Amino acid sequence: MDLFDVYPLYDITPVTASGVYITDDSGKKYLDLYGGHAVISIGHSHPSYVNSIKEQLDKIGFYSNSIVNPLQQKLSSKIKEVSGCEEYQLFLCNSGAEANENALKLASFHTGKSRVIAFRNSFHGRTSAAVVATDNEKIWAPINLQQEVSFVDLNDSEGFLKAMGQKDVCAVILEAIQGVGGLDEPSTEFYELIASKCREDDVVLIADEVQCGYGRSGKFFGFQHHGIQPDIISMAKGMGNGFPIGGILIHDRFKAVHGMLGTTFGGNHLACSAGLAVLEVIDGENLIKNAVELGKYFRDKAQEMAEVKNIKGRGLMLGLEFEFEVADLRKRLIYNRHIFTGSSKNKHVLRILPALNITKKEIDLFFKALKEELT
Ligand SMILES: Cc1ncc(COP(=O)(O)O)c(C=O)c1O
């Protein structure tokens, strides 16, 4: 049976991985500055992560959400401790799109309204409500178009207030740093305006932290750079270091009703053990501090290069902007230099999303290769 051919593939077959490196079936070793699309937070095959999942599998891997699973409570306590988000409840699911779908659904339940405000160049996932809040018409199917979404330019206060004026809005959803879109950010003033207007109009503010969360930006959540308190926070990618897990943090003023949200696989024993191991490593190995320091080191190196026109992002969620389109450079970095990097909607931006425990040695390696490819 053929695979449904929706992914353009690099002809590389990774078979093992460790830390910030992956090795293919011919024994070639690649430096992974892409993290499998911002997923690898604590490094590939981190020993405590591997042990935690193995040990859990020997006990119980899965049961449905109809029984008591103390690992879910343990995970929520650890998220509270490491993130500093005090007044929230946790709902667990399996992916970023599913997290946003549940966030949007909850916002609609809560307000009784249905219009969503999202931002130009956003990406929130491919499911029904999340996909139409994603600024990419090519991935909207006719069946998705029942959902009403108003798109506003990032940092366009007037446009935002105009869209809010319609009084039929259930949620505003935004990324603190746009990932797929190309590393643009709301200013603190703009984020503050959104938060205060949402509070005033009883509109639910959803922080999509699927990509910029979990320490990647140099704070646990990206919105924490702006001193904001969202109503719902969606998480996935870095949360499981590759194990499929997502979730939303829901402010305490939202009241749960049995049956309101649900999932078969979300919050299963294995996923929770993966999620707990990730947080223990982020916390125990000071990876957020490392993201700040190594992010700065990376920026300083990038600044020395005349070809780099702009450095975008924060922490270890970075973009190097060039005058030329980067698709070819990216290919050359992979095939000639054995270095994975990322792309974005902005074709001039090379995206850098390494594991949060990357060291100076690997950053030096990247810049040496980049310089050689550009001369
Ligand atoms: C900000 C953001 N939200 C949501 C998603 C969707 O996540 P998933 O692919 O796990 O459904 C992504 C994926 O790239 C993302 O970057």
Side-chain angles (χ1 to χ4, degrees):
M1 189 190 288
D2 285 337
L3 297 175
F4 198 54
D5 187 14
V6 289
Y7 300 112
L9 298 180
Y10 287 113
D11 188 17
I12 293 168
T13 309
V15 287
T16 58
S18 174
V20 281
Y21 291 96
I22 52 181
T23 305
D24 75 7
D25 53 355
S26 69
K28 258 186 240 127
K29 196 171 159 184
Y30 295 79
L31 172 59
D32 183 12
L33 298 188
Y34 177 53
H37 202 71
V39 165
I40 301 301
S41 45
I42 60 166
H44 293 278
S45 312
H46 191 291
S48 26
Y49 168 82
V50 171
N51 285 338
S52 171
I53 296 172
K54 276 184 180 164
E55 280 170 19
Q56 186 57 49
L57 191 53
D58 279 334
K59 292 183 206 151
I60 176 172
F62 170 82
Y63 203 76
S64 84
N65 278 309
S66 61
I67 45 81
V68 176
N69 177 356
L71 290 171
Q72 295 184 352
Q73 192 57 58
K74 223 172 144 187
L75 180 58
S76 77
S77 301
K78 193 72 190 171
I79 293 174
K80 179 171 164 178
E81 179 197 327
V82 183
S83 72
C85 290
E86 295 280 338
E87 298 160 345
Y88 291 85
Q89 313 153 77
L90 172 67
F91 175 76
L92 289 163
C93 57
N94 310 283
S95 71
E98 207 187 327
N100 285 329
E101 201 68 35
N102 280 294
L104 291 164
K105 191 168 177 180
L106 197 52
S108 185
F109 271 136
H110 182 75
T111 58
K113 297 176 181 173
S114 61
R115 180 184 295 276
V116 171
I117 295 181
F119 295 88
R120 289 277 162 225
N121 296 326
S122 61
F123 188 93
H124 299 296
R126 291 168 180 273
T127 52
S128 67
V131 78
V132 275
T134 290
D135 183 21
N136 181 356
E137 284 184 35
K138 280 192 244 151
I139 60 172
W140 300 346
I143 198 172
N144 302 131
L145 299 181
Q146 58 202 322
Q147 172 66 49
E148 284 178 295
V149 179
S150 305
F151 285 98
V152 175
D153 284 334
L154 215 47
N155 298 317
D156 173 6
S157 303
E158 217 175 286
F160 169 70
L161 292 173
K162 194 165 164 233
M164 287 288 276
Q166 299 182 40
K167 302 288 176 208
D168 56 352
V169 177
C170 67
V172 177
I173 182 165
L174 93 157
E175 300 156 83
I177 306 171
Q178 291 187 331
V180 174
L183 284 303
D184 289 309
E185 304 181 39
S187 66
T188 296
E189 299 70 49
F190 189 60
Y191 215 147
E192 281 171 350
L193 171 75
I194 292 172
S196 70
K197 188 69 184 152
C198 281
R199 229 178 359 257
E200 198 180 304
D201 289 4
D202 199 22
V203 168
V204 176
L205 173 56
I206 302 171
D208 180 345
E209 294 281 336
V210 166
Q211 187 161 153
C212 61
Y214 261 73
R216 181 152 294 285
S217 75
K219 293 209 184 272
F220 191 84
F221 286 125
F223 66 79
Q224 290 170 331
H225 291 283
H226 305 291
I228 296 300
Q229 195 185 50
D231 298 305
I232 304 180
I233 303 158
S234 55
M235 321 170 286
K237 293 193 187 290
M239 193 175 181
N241 198 46
F243 198 99
I245 179 171
I248 48 177
L249 298 185
I250 305 155
H251 194 269
D252 280 346
R253 68 190 174 80
F254 289 71
K255 293 285 158 264
V257 175
H258 284 175
M260 188 183 213
L261 305 177
T263 154
T264 298
F265 296 120
N268 68 70
H269 300 74
L270 272 187
C272 286
S273 73
L276 270 164
V278 166
L279 287 171
E280 271 150 23
V281 172
I282 288 181
D283 197 19
E285 297 184 8
N286 288 318
L287 295 193
I288 302 185
K289 187 164 169 263
N290 199 59
V292 173
E293 290 171 1
L294 277 284
K296 180 172 180 323
Y297 184 74
F298 191 100
R299 276 177 169 275
D300 289 347
K301 289 251 160 194
Q303 240 143 25
E304 290 165 13
M305 291 188 66
E307 295 90 339
V308 177
K309 294 298 157 208
N310 190 12
I311 308 160
K312 303 175 83 175
R314 292 176 191 251
L316 289 171
M317 181 167 179
L318 294 166
L320 300 182
E321 194 163 22
F322 295 90
E323 252 155 29
F324 52 87
E325 293 191 2
V326 297
D328 185 57
L329 172 63
R330 205 176 153 224
K331 235 183 241 171
R332 285 188 281 130
L333 284 170
I334 292 180
Y335 290 115
N336 302 345
R337 306 285 167 178
H338 301 155
I339 299 176
F340 276 94
T341 56
S343 62
S344 77
K345 193 172 172 186
N346 179 343
K347 292 188 172 9
H348 296 257
V349 171
L350 194 69
R351 270 207 296 165
I352 307 294
L353 304 158
L356 305 184
N357 46 12
I358 191 169
T359 68
K360 288 182 179 170
K361 182 176 144 223
E362 285 93 27
I363 294 176
D364 291 346
L365 244 162
F366 167 71
F367 278 103
K368 182 170 178 292
L370 182 64
K371 279 177 195 158
E372 286 170 6
E373 277 306 321
L374 292 176
T375 48

